[in-house]
Amino acid sequence: MIKTTGFYDLCIQESLFTSLLTNNDLIESLKSLHNFGYRTIAVNQSIDDGNIEVGKKKKKREPRETQDIVPVPFNLKRIQDVVAQLQLENFVVLNRLTVFFSHQEALHKITKSTNYKKFHIIAAAPTTMPAFTFTCTSLEADIFSFNPENKFNMRLNRKHYNLLIDRGFHFELLYSAAIQDSTKRKNLIHASHLFHAFGKSKNIIFSSGAENFMYIRSPYDIINLGFIFGLSELQCKSAVFHCPSKVVLNSVGRRHGKAVMFVENIESEKEDVIMLQESEGEDMETDQPRQKKTKI
Amino acid sequence: MVRHKNRYILLEVKEIGRSDRSHLKLKEPSLYTAILKMVEKLHGDFGVAAIRAGFVAKYINQHTRTGIIRCRRGPHKLISSCIPFIKMVEDKIVSLNMLYVGATLRHCFGFLRNYQLKKFNEYCVSLNSEEEKAALREVMMSFEKLADRL
């Protein structure tokens, strides 16, 4: 069972960590993430469905080659080592995969791959309308994302939005794109206003999506930033706190099947158990007549 | 279930330095781009992103020089606050005059019909033959095509 707390940033690009070559840089950045208040982060890797089709053709020529489409999850060992070394409490690092796709055929290949199951969190980013409806009806994922470089060209409606919410999806807004440049910012604000219009901004999460450490902001700043995305202060708070924690919980459920239960042995002293039994027995007898009296 | 509310803004485009009677030809998207540019100037990226959903601007009649804008209720305030600042459309110096803000197209067309009729009567004074009048009437009073374009 993964226990997660604090503030969440569920999308930090893989390139941010690969660019930090020396250990010192890594220590610095993790320290400042911790100081910002983040306790759970997810390292994001993305795959595009367009690239896979090229791979398909190659495979037809060489049927023997069985290369996995989905990349191997980013090795968290280095990060976790540093976290242990710094003695950061409750700091959890997760793997996340973002799938950009336009056809559901290619998606089938992805979901069947072995590496796919190693990721903790899956985000779906459909690029066409059929792909979007497929996401609404039958794709198992945790986050609904989109690329802020392109215009949000999906025709949302309330039915689809509620369908996604019922299936446990959360809508992601990548705020670092809004910091970077004007067109991305416009697309992002446009999309968030659509979310506001269609679903009252339910189940929205903020995550950075940063490729550079420069674009990461403190969670309290993001709560204020949410104003331009049409969210109230309370919604903003839950967008960096409660909703991502639901995402993490849901993801565990998705990976293990419909119902998840963790059973742990708790070593308890015998006296406590006896005390409990006794008190329960007494309560049963003494409480009930009293209740009747009060009722009359 | 709450529906989307729209606002329809009816405009008059006045070209400075020319008489009211002359025709003013504008390309289809020019009004749209002019408004978008001004919103970006005054309200920035936020404004542009906010009005983007359901924003349509059409120049509809060169005889009476009217245009119509459709936008979502709420951000229509961003647009209507920008309209007085527009000075240039397609390199022509113009001033925009807001005639009517309506909640339905029907209301707008009702207003437009009265407005066009008034203009038509004004123009008719200068025309002599009945045929000319009939032709002008034909151009000014046909609304069916407009409804399709919006």
Side-chain angles (χ1 to χ4, degrees):
Chain A
M1 178 68 192
I2 317 164
K3 275 182 186 165
T4 55
T5 50
F7 289 110
Y8 296 77
D9 189 347
L10 291 185
C11 184
I12 294 178
Q13 303 292 355
E14 179 198 8
S15 55
L16 188 144
F17 290 104
T18 47
S19 65
L20 301 172
L21 294 173
T22 59
N23 248 17
N24 267 348
D25 289 349
L26 192 63
I27 289 170
E28 277 299 306
S29 56
L30 283 176
K31 245 187 192 171
S32 47
L33 268 175
H34 189 263
N35 284 343
F36 274 151
Y38 291 113
R39 293 293 179 273
T40 311
I41 59 167
V43 182
N44 179 48
Q45 280 158 291
S46 41
I47 47 171
D48 206 330
D49 143 271
N51 304 336
I52 292 158
E53 282 183 334
V54 181
K56 253 188 193 172
K57 281 170 199 166
K58 272 182 193 169
K59 267 181 191 168
K60 273 173 193 169
R61 283 177 219 150
E62 306 159 29
R64 285 297 138 98
E65 192 192 22
T66 51
Q67 198 192 10
D68 212 330
I69 312 155
V70 182
V72 181
F74 184 75
N75 195 358
L76 301 177
K77 184 121 197 330
R78 193 176 146 218
I79 300 172
Q80 275 159 353
D81 282 347
V82 174
V83 170
Q85 184 192 327
L86 289 172
Q87 294 177 325
L88 305 176
E89 279 176 18
N90 303 329
F91 200 82
V92 183
V93 189
L94 302 170
N95 275 117
R96 166 198 151 134
L97 179 74
T98 309
V99 188
F100 292 96
F101 67 104
S102 53
H103 304 288
Q104 61 190 71
E105 290 88 25
L107 198 71
H108 181 73
K109 279 203 154 185
I110 296 168
T111 47
K112 284 286 167 291
S113 109
T114 49
N115 280 342
Y116 180 80
K117 286 169 189 121
K118 291 178 192 163
F119 287 94
H120 298 107
I121 300 168
I122 305 289
T127 50
T128 56
M129 212 40 214
F132 175 63
T133 43
F134 179 72
T135 327
C136 291
T137 50
S138 45
L139 182 66
E140 292 277 315
D142 311 305
I143 296 173
F144 177 87
S145 185
F146 68 98
N147 191 356
E149 270 175 41
N150 305 325
K151 258 189 187 174
F152 191 81
N153 53 5
M154 251 66 77
R155 295 193 120 225
L156 264 179
N157 60 35
R158 192 155 313 191
K159 199 181 124 201
H160 280 143
Y161 195 98
N162 287 333
L163 208 64
L164 284 171
I165 285 177
D166 288 342
R167 298 181 62 240
F169 272 80
H170 285 74
F171 297 83
E172 185 182 49
L173 296 173
L174 302 170
Y175 67 84
S176 81
I179 303 169
Q180 273 171 34
D181 74 296
S182 162
T183 48
K184 283 180 188 172
R185 185 161 43 221
K186 279 180 209 161
N187 290 333
L188 205 71
I189 295 171
H190 172 60
S192 70
H193 282 195
L194 284 182
F195 292 154
H196 178 78
F198 286 108
K200 296 179 187 169
S201 300
K202 271 180 260 172
N203 280 23
I204 293 235
I205 59 170
F206 282 125
S207 43
S208 71
E211 291 174 0
N212 193 327
F213 196 77
M214 184 183 133
Y215 296 123
I216 293 179
R217 296 286 183 273
S218 109
Y220 295 102
D221 290 348
I222 296 161
I223 290 171
N224 292 323
L225 182 81
F227 173 71
I228 63 162
F229 294 119
L231 278 81
S232 70
E233 209 164 311
L234 203 68
Q235 282 173 321
C236 290
K237 171 89 197 288
S238 65
V240 284
F241 198 91
H242 301 298
C243 289
S245 76
K246 272 200 299 186
V247 169
V248 177
L249 276 179
N250 278 350
S251 74
V252 178
R254 179 184 50 76
R255 294 203 310 153
H256 291 88
K258 288 286 174 199
V260 193
M261 201 181 288
F262 288 93
V263 181
E264 281 178 53
N265 268 332
I266 303 171
E267 288 184 17
S268 54
E269 290 169 22
K270 279 183 182 174
E271 283 177 21
D272 280 354
V273 178
I274 295 162
M275 286 279 280
L276 268 172
Q277 280 176 344
E278 278 177 359
S279 62
E280 270 177 16
E282 280 171 10
D283 283 349
M284 290 288 278
E285 283 171 6
T286 51
D287 274 358
Q288 275 181 338
R290 268 182 208 163
Q291 274 183 347
K292 272 181 189 171
K293 273 177 190 172
T294 48
K295 268 178 193 171
I296 296 160
Chain B
M1 191 70 183
V2 194
R3 72 190 168 88
H4 276 139
K5 288 185 178 173
N6 286 325
R7 284 290 176 270
Y8 300 89
I9 304 172
L10 210 59
L11 298 170
E12 184 193 20
V13 186
K14 275 185 189 165
E15 192 175 9
I16 307 297
R18 290 180 71 179
S19 77
D20 277 358
R21 298 289 171 80
S22 59
H23 299 175
L24 174 64
K25 276 190 182 174
L26 289 176
K27 278 178 201 148
E28 281 267 293
S30 52
L31 194 63
Y32 181 87
T33 46
I35 292 169
L36 213 60
K37 265 184 195 164
M38 191 42 79
V39 170
E40 181 153 27
K41 235 183 211 171
L42 289 180
H43 296 290
D45 290 335
F46 175 80
V48 173
I51 65 166
R52 195 189 271 169
F55 177 47
V56 175
K58 287 277 161 69
Y59 182 63
I60 51 175
N61 198 322
Q62 36 175 289
H63 291 270
T64 48
R65 299 177 303 282
T66 44
I68 196 163
I69 300 167
R70 187 190 73 194
C71 51
R72 289 276 147 82
R73 198 199 72 131
H76 76 282
K77 287 192 175 170
L78 300 181
I79 294 177
S80 56
S81 65
C82 285
I83 283 171
F85 294 95
I86 294 173
K87 285 182 286 188
M88 296 273 272
V89 178
E90 252 186 40
D91 305 331
K92 294 185 175 91
I93 301 168
V94 298
S95 77
L96 297 182
N97 184 15
M98 241 185 297
L99 295 172
Y100 185 71
V101 181
T104 57
L105 262 185
R106 179 184 275 265
H107 277 131
C108 275
F109 281 153
F111 180 89
L112 196 63
R113 179 173 290 116
N114 294 336
Y115 180 77
Q116 307 260 57
L117 205 62
K118 213 174 83 189
K119 285 274 174 181
F120 171 69
N121 290 335
E122 279 174 26
Y123 290 173
C124 276
V125 176
S126 63
L127 297 175
N128 297 321
S129 69
E130 281 299 315
E131 287 138 24
E132 276 180 310
K133 281 182 188 175
L136 187 65
R137 191 180 192 90
E138 178 71 23
V139 176
M140 283 177 71
M141 305 305 282
S142 59
F143 290 105
E144 284 75 22
K145 284 179 197 164
L146 295 180
D148 294 339
R149 279 165 60 189
L150 270 174

